[in-house]
């Protein structure tokens, strides 16, 4: 039976799987366009599997693995990253190939022991710069801690310049037939899903991601094989460029507005600010209702855009819960390079604006005046305040643009 493993070169095959069934990655991030769990196998003098998949796709994975091995035994399984989207199939693979040696670092085996009861005994513990000889090819291992977990490491085939990068350079989105970058005409779609993956899954560890990329920058990289998303065999520079931009939090011109509104009055404030931004020459304005749009989409847009306006109604003398959720995620992810404006609404007792101010004080953002707080519905004075806030935001963005601070999307991914 043909089971769709894909040859990358004479000894290396792609045996990853699509998952369009799981609704939420890590049970929290929407997967409307699915996700891949990529896995690769060398059939050299030795056979070597690089990473497994989430166990819900075990049947398809095993079929691809067996087809590729074509009756040979499995000698090695390199466990680059133990998060269960890449490791939960491992115990079953090990039961099929009990002679296979798992290759991982010290921390890998701590995780494997804790998750699956697999200890380092009878397996191979590697450290930075160690190599594994497969015959004509050799894999060298580099540690990339906290991208995305402490045990994360990558593997490099120095003969062909292939980097197996695990989560680094990965993205959301199933691979709908094309799996190589040069087979894909919809890079825009993959770029957006890659950015959403990076910002929400890896973003918090951006400093470590930059460090890892600096370390790997010294290698000659002809191809990147990540554990999610396309294989970059023609334009590895494209995905490296996008990841570097995301890790450095290089923002582009524009404003992202997120509002929480129960009966439309705070929404009206957001609309007034949005229109005033446009009237002041801001061309890139996006408005999100926090009750409707998942935070992963809002945060991604905010990560990429300098201007940020947050507006919330008051709920039980406090911030509206969906807005509270958004700002706790923004806070956790240590965003930078933003200019912030805030506004809110209350009817009998304040609360929302007070909490937004407290959030603003904790961030390293430029905070704009005025802060506008309406009572029940925006008054003429509140409208003037929102227009002044929008003008100040437009002036701020212009100043940054003139100073050359903004990331230019000309000819880039978006
Ligand atoms: Fe794709 Fe951190 O797992």
């Amino acid at each position: 039976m043909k089971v769709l493993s894909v040859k990358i070169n004479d000894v290396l095959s792609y045996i990853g799987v699509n998952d369009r069934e799981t609704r939420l990655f890590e049970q929290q991030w929407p997967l409307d366009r699915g996700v891949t769990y990529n896995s690769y196998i060398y059939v050299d003098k030795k056979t070597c599997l690089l990473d497994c998949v989430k166990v819900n796709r075990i049947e398809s994975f095993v079929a691809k693995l067996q087809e590729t091995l074509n009756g040979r035994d499995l000698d090695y399984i390199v466990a680059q990253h133990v998060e269960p989207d890449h490791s939960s199939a491992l115990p079953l693979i090990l039961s099929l190939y009990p002679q296979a040696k798992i290759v991982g670092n010290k921390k890998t085996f701590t995780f494997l022991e804790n998750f699956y009861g697999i200890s380092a005994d009878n397996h191979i513990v590697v450290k930075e710069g160690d190599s594994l000889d497969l015959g004509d090819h050799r894999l060298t291992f580099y540690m990339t801690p906290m991208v995305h977990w402490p045990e994360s490491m990558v593997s490099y085939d120095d003969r062909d310049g292939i980097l197996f990068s695990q989560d680094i350079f990965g993205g959301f989105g199933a691979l709908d037939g094309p799996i190589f970058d040069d087979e894909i005409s919809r890079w825009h779609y993959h770029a957006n899903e890659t950015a959403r993956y990076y910002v929400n899954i890896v973003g918090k560890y951006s400093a470590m991601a930059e460090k890892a990329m600096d370390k790997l920058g010294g290698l000659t990289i002809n191809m990147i094989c990540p554990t999610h998303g396309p294989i970059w065999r023609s334009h590895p520079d494209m995905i490296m460029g996008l990841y570097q931009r995301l890790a450095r939090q290089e923002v582009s011109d524009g404003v992202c507005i997120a509002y929480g509104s129960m009966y439309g009055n705070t929404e009206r404030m957001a609309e007034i600010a949005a229109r005033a931004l446009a009237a002041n020459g801001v061309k890139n304005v996006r408005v999100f209702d926090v009750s409707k749009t998942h935070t992963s989409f809002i945060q991604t847009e905010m990560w990429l855009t300098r201007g940020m306006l947050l507006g919330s109604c008051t709920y039980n003398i406090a911030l509206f819960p969906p807005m509270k959720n958004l700002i706790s995620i923004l806070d956790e992810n240590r965003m930078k390079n933003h200019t912030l404006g805030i506004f809110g609404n209350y009817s009998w007792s304040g609360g929302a604006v007070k909490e937004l101010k407290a959030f603003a004080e904790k961030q390293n953002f430029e905070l704009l005046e005025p802060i506008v707080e309406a009572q029940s519905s925006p008054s003429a004075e509140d409208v003037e305040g929102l227009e002044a806030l929008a003008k100040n935001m437009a002036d701020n963005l212009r100043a940054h643009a003139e100073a050359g601070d903004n990331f230019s999307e000309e000819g880039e991914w978006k």
Side-chain angles (χ1 to χ4, degrees), residues 25 81 83 85-86 148-149 167 197 201 227-228:
F25 188 77
H81 179 25
E83 188 166 7
D85 54 331
H86 310 295
H148 155 235
W149 276 11
D167 278 356
Y197 171 85
I201 309 299
T227 48
H228 302 288

Side-chain angles (χ1 to χ4, degrees), residues 65-85:
L65 176 62
Q66 289 177 334
E67 177 193 62
T68 312
L69 284 172
N70 194 23
R72 285 186 60 179
D73 278 339
L74 182 59
D75 297 306
Y76 302 116
I77 304 170
V78 178
Q80 300 191 112
H81 179 25
V82 184
E83 188 166 7
D85 54 331

Side-chain angles (χ1 to χ4, degrees), residues 4 78 82 92 141 157 204 286 343 383 399:
L4 295 175
V78 178
V82 184
L92 281 165
F141 305 106
D157 175 340
K204 181 176 177 155
R286 296 291 307 275
F343 59 91
V383 171

Side-chain angles (χ1 to χ4, degrees), residues 160-163 165 169 181-182 187 213 219-226 230-244:
D160 289 339
I162 302 177
L163 177 69
S165 60
F169 306 127
D181 57 342
D182 49 65
W187 166 230
M213 285 188 277
L219 303 173
T220 299
I221 297 175
N222 299 322
M223 190 187 308
I224 293 176
C225 296
I231 297 166
W232 297 87
R233 69 178 176 187
S234 290
H235 300 290
D237 51 312
M238 194 181 267
I239 189 67
M240 287 193 277
L242 173 55
Y243 255 69
Q244 274 158 359

Side-chain angles (χ1 to χ4, degrees), residues 144-150 152-153 165-168 202 205 208-209 212:
T144 55
M146 298 320 298
V147 202
H148 155 235
W149 276 11
S152 294
M153 65 181 203
S165 60
Q166 48 97 24
D167 278 356
I168 309 171
V202 185
Y205 308 112
M208 302 301 278

